[in-house]
Amino acid sequence: DQQVKQNSPSLSVQEGRISILNCDYTNSMFDYFLWYKKYPAEGPTFLISISSIKDKNEDGRFTVFLNKSAKHLSLHIVPSQPGDSAVYFCAAKTIGTYKYIFGTGTRLKVLA
Amino acid sequence: ETGVTQTPRHLVMGMTNKKSLKCEQHLGHNAMYWYKQSAKKPLELMFVYSLEERVENNSVPSRFSPECPNSSHLFLHLHTLQPEDSALYLCASSQDRGGVGTEAFFGQGTRLTVV
């Protein structure tokens, strides 16, 4: 059973607008959440993270929101740029363990 | 060299061959991972080593055999693979700080094709 789900396989957004990528999880033991970005023929690169003691973390154009009661997190990219076009993976883990559990990814396309 | 380096980047092998994937991390991390990425599936954790000791083994078939000779190097030995094992194999490392969340850093992956 998939513990981390990204239900939108793809998303297209106009340049300059907001991109919102969503992620749901089922395991209430997860307390640390990460977003990774992946370009073709490259490994995933870390983007931003949030621990369960927070509900928001911001880094430049990227903001991650965590709703623990809904077991839902989202990544906001504002403003979106063509270079943001990539596959975005949501991941979750329990602090103190080594298991990073990943979703299936959402392919974001930012249109110029 | 910086980050996590994987070799080779591409590998084509027959079902009777034996080959090895290599991973090296230059980040001073104490944990290393093998993940498998198949099309339209989540990244699947295969193995985790912490301080050269295997701490996770996710029901991976014995035709995949990991080796971690030191905290900077990780190998995945492959033998008698099946075509369905064709995938992108990703190595990662992280620094476990005992209770504080950390991110895993990934290599560029090895694209494996089994013919």
Side-chain angles (χ1 to χ4, degrees), chain A residues 13-73:
Chain A
V13 171
Q14 283 296 130
E15 182 179 5
R17 306 295 291 266
I18 183 171
S19 295
I20 300 176
L21 296 101
N22 293 303
C23 178
D24 297 293
Y25 62 96
T26 57
N27 189 338
S28 57
M29 297 298 291
F30 290 148
D31 53 11
Y32 189 61
F33 305 90
L34 310 93
W35 285 94
Y36 284 82
K37 176 173 156 178
K38 186 180 184 299
Y39 293 119
E42 293 186 14
T45 54
F46 170 72
L47 202 54
I48 192 169
S49 63
I50 188 167
S51 75
S52 60
I53 61 172
K54 293 185 172 183
D55 53 20
K56 177 182 172 181
N57 189 26
E58 199 169 344
D59 183 3
R61 296 186 297 116
F62 302 92
T63 303
V64 56
F65 294 93
L66 175 63
N67 182 335
K68 288 186 289 295
S69 60
K71 294 193 178 70
H72 176 84
L73 64 154

